[in-house]
Amino acid sequence: MSVHSQEKVVKNTVMYTAATIAQKAISFVYFWVLSSHLAPSALGAYLGMLSFASLASIGMDLGLTPLLTRQAAKQEDEAGLLLRATYAIKVPLVIATTALLWLVMLTLSSLHVVTLTGTEWLLLGGASVIIALDAFTSGAYAILRAQQNVMVESRAIVLFQLTVLVTGCASVFLTGNILLIMASLMTGSMVNTVYTLSRVRRLLGTSITPQADMPCIRTILGMLPSFATAGIFTKVYQQADVVLLRSLTDTHTVGLYSIPAKITTALQSLIPGAFSAAVYPTLSNYAHTDRARLENLFRYTFGILFLLSLPVGAFLAILTPVLLAAVWPQYRAVAPAMAAMLAVVPFLFLPYATGALLNAVGKERQTSRNRIIMTLVNVAINIALIPFFRERGAAAAFVTANVVLASLDIVAAHRIVSLRHPDVRRLVFGAVFSLIPSAGGLFLYVAWNNFIDISRGMRSFWYFGVAPLIAASLLYVVLLVVTKTVRTEDVLRLKNMLMRQPEVV
């Protein structure tokens, strides 16, 4: 019996989004503590080593996580076998990747391509442990998402962040030692791994230790190349800017760039990440069971993501000077780069919907090609501009690459599900129309009050930032209703989907 339904997608999205909001709120507080108590160079050293390790984590997954999610959603009775076979593949990958990471870093250091301090080598050790743990936790998450069971993952991400917050803040306030701060992150990863794996084992009712089931492994490996390509190039894109900044400039520049990078990453995880985690398994299921539901669910996801992302990006880009002045005054030099990166938030959100659709219907090669192009564009612009414009060059690469990816993905998705549907046009054009007066008013207010007194700190932030943001958001919502972009039947439909029992498909 299938557990997949559109109603359950909405419930899972709400639940997962609530947990992600809590996690991101805690994460933001923790990052603010780090960035306000650490010098940009220390913060850059910490984040730089995490980025090097994260880039290396490509070799520990190779696209196994999304592949496992799709296959477990299709073959629900074989979820345990698929997980154990996936772990049997991951064990040697984790060992080989960790060894290769250290070999590469030692080689680059001996050639003076990247010069690391003793502290950075120790930070790299902690980061290596973290990515190894995450390689196995991600497999468990894949099973949970395939079965539309987001409760465990929702609890796990909050538990992880609370552990990091408590131990990390203690390290910051008592010592300020970035090695202990890395140890705090490692502790959170251990707690997350133990909790998640134990819950998945209980859910499946069977052992989850690696099992070399050769027929199953051969099946997985046969489908892996397309997923691996997409995963590799997506990860390279995600980490290339920080890795290249650390290699071509210094830890101070990495620290500056970390502010907008952290905010955009948090936004991606908060809204489109929650939609993708809940929607992708069901899209995979509908691709083989109900074409009409597949199209309706994708259009709904695409339209809602655009409607949400447009004001988020515009409002935060306009408020960038206020945010930096009140929260990160020592990072004000990054304002132009940060405003540009926030302005393209819609182009960050939409590929979550389009990518999920392409993978669900078996178009992994198209997904891979688009992300290869995006990554090549990103890396090329980073290499060309970072030596001259530093963090602004990295921001230019970020903006260009995301616009390219969204454009390619939308064209590919449109070939599968028409985006000229009346509901999509209503949401898209209504959102744009509603944004113009609300964003225009916010811009005029901020421009008129550009004399912000930084010495007043959070008082200035509330008066010049939060209050006008709330007003602009309310105006946007009112205009959505007045223009009938969001209709009564949409609200009733959502209410019914939340309250009705899931349908068996």
Side-chain angles (χ1 to χ4, degrees):
M1 179 179 293
S2 175
V3 299
H4 296 273
S5 72
Q6 189 163 342
E7 290 77 9
K8 194 166 185 179
V9 169
V10 177
K11 290 183 179 181
N12 284 345
T13 301
V14 172
M15 183 186 303
Y16 190 86
T17 301
T20 306
I21 289 173
Q23 187 260 342
K24 291 305 174 185
I26 298 170
S27 177
F28 181 82
V29 171
Y30 181 60
F31 182 74
W32 175 77
V33 170
L34 289 183
S35 57
S36 60
H37 287 79
L38 297 177
S41 57
L43 182 64
Y46 170 77
L47 296 177
M49 292 305 99
L50 283 175
S51 294
F52 275 111
S54 183
L55 183 62
S57 70
I58 292 170
M60 297 182 180
D61 188 81
L62 295 176
L64 284 167
T65 297
L67 174 56
L68 178 59
T69 300
R70 191 184 75 172
Q71 293 307 113
K74 293 179 182 178
Q75 304 166 254
E76 297 166 18
D77 295 337
E78 301 294 328
L81 177 62
L82 288 167
L83 178 62
R84 298 182 70 183
T86 299
Y87 280 167
I89 299 172
K90 281 199 172 191
V91 168
L93 288 179
V94 168
I95 296 172
T97 300
T98 303
L100 182 61
L101 168 63
W102 281 81
L103 178 62
V104 169
M105 295 304 294
L106 287 168
T107 302
L108 292 176
S109 179
S110 65
L111 296 175
H112 303 289
V113 175
V114 179
T115 303
L116 302 183
T117 64
T119 298
E120 285 179 302
W121 282 112
L122 293 174
L123 290 173
L124 184 62
S128 300
V129 174
I130 291 168
I131 61 172
L133 292 171
D134 290 349
F136 295 98
T137 307
S138 64
Y141 283 165
I143 294 297
L144 294 171
R145 293 171 183 176
Q147 298 194 359
Q148 287 197 307
N149 185 335
V150 299
M151 181 62 74
V152 174
E153 184 174 355
S154 299
R155 290 173 179 168
I157 60 178
V158 174
L159 178 63
F160 162 76
Q161 201 61 60
L162 284 174
T163 303
V164 175
L165 177 67
V166 173
T167 58
C169 286
S171 300
V172 171
F173 294 131
L174 295 178
T175 68
N177 190 317
I178 55 176
L179 293 177
L180 293 179
I181 293 170
M182 181 65 79
S184 300
L185 184 59
M186 188 166 59
T187 301
S189 293
M190 290 178 178
V191 171
N192 185 18
T193 301
V194 171
Y195 172 77
T196 304
L197 293 184
S198 64
R199 297 300 298 176
V200 169
R201 184 183 185 282
R202 180 177 299 180
L203 175 68
L204 294 176
T206 183
S207 172
I208 59 172
T209 56
Q211 176 179 330
D213 185 294
M214 295 313 298
C216 188
I217 288 177
R218 282 194 293 268
T219 299
I220 293 173
L221 293 178
M223 294 182 291
L224 189 58
S226 295
F227 282 91
T229 304
I232 289 171
F233 280 90
T234 298
K235 181 66 74 172
V236 170
Y237 156 73
Q238 291 173 343
Q239 303 301 329
D241 46 7
V242 175
V243 169
L244 288 171
L245 277 171
R246 177 61 186 89
S247 302
L248 299 175
T249 60
D250 50 39
T251 55
H252 178 82
T253 303
V254 174
L256 288 177
Y257 184 75
S258 68
I259 302 300
K262 175 66 175 180
I263 293 174
T264 53
T265 299
L267 289 173
Q268 287 176 282
S269 300
L270 180 62
I271 300 176
F275 267 84
S276 180
V279 168
Y280 173 58
T282 302
L283 284 174
S284 297
N285 183 271
Y286 287 169
H288 295 271
T289 60
D290 196 321
R291 179 75 183 192
R293 285 193 171 192
L294 171 76
E295 295 181 0
N296 289 336
L297 180 56
F298 170 69
R299 289 182 182 127
Y300 174 82
T301 303
F302 185 91
I304 292 299
L305 282 179
F306 184 82
L307 185 145
L308 292 174
S309 64
L310 199 62
V312 168
F315 294 167
L316 290 180
I318 293 170
L319 290 172
T320 290
V322 181
L323 183 62
L324 289 175
V327 183
W328 291 290
Q330 68 271 42
Y331 291 86
R332 282 175 292 167
V334 81
M338 180 170 165
M341 293 171 68
L342 289 171
V344 296
V345 160
F347 296 96
L348 275 63
F349 280 29
L350 294 179
Y352 280 80
T354 53
L357 174 68
L358 293 173
N359 283 341
V361 300
K363 298 291 185 181
E364 300 91 355
R365 291 184 179 179
Q366 182 67 61
T367 307
S368 300
R369 281 195 293 268
N370 292 351
R371 278 141 189 82
I372 289 172
I373 294 172
M374 172 195 68
T375 302
L376 294 176
V377 169
N378 179 262
V379 171
I381 297 177
N382 268 311
I383 292 174
L385 297 185
I386 283 177
F388 304 100
F389 301 103
R390 303 172 78 85
E391 74 277 359
R392 296 189 186 190
F398 177 90
V399 169
T400 306
N402 278 284
V403 171
V404 168
L405 175 62
S407 301
L408 293 172
D409 260 19
I410 289 172
V411 171
H414 180 65
R415 296 193 186 106
I416 301 167
V417 178
S418 175
L419 293 174
R420 296 195 180 108
H421 192 275
D423 286 339
V424 176
R425 289 186 297 192
R426 169 167 57 90
L427 291 171
V428 170
F429 290 115
V432 173
F433 179 83
S434 301
L435 178 75
I436 293 173
S438 53
L442 182 63
F443 176 80
L444 292 175
Y445 180 86
V446 172
W448 182 261
N449 295 285
N450 61 4
F451 52 84
I452 300 171
D453 183 1
I454 299 173
S455 65
R456 287 188 292 170
M458 294 307 295
R459 181 180 176 185
S460 295
F461 178 59
W462 284 103
Y463 182 76
F464 293 107
V466 175
L469 175 61
I470 293 174
S473 300
L474 289 175
L475 177 59
Y476 179 73
V477 172
V478 169
L479 290 172
L480 289 176
V481 175
V482 170
T483 59
K484 295 185 178 181
T485 300
V486 177
R487 300 173 178 174
T488 304
E489 53 264 35
D490 294 327
V491 178
L492 292 176
R493 180 187 177 200
L494 178 60
K495 180 181 178 181
N496 290 334
M497 289 191 328
L498 286 169
M499 296 182 66
R500 286 205 311 262
Q501 291 298 316
E503 299 175 5
V504 177
V505 178

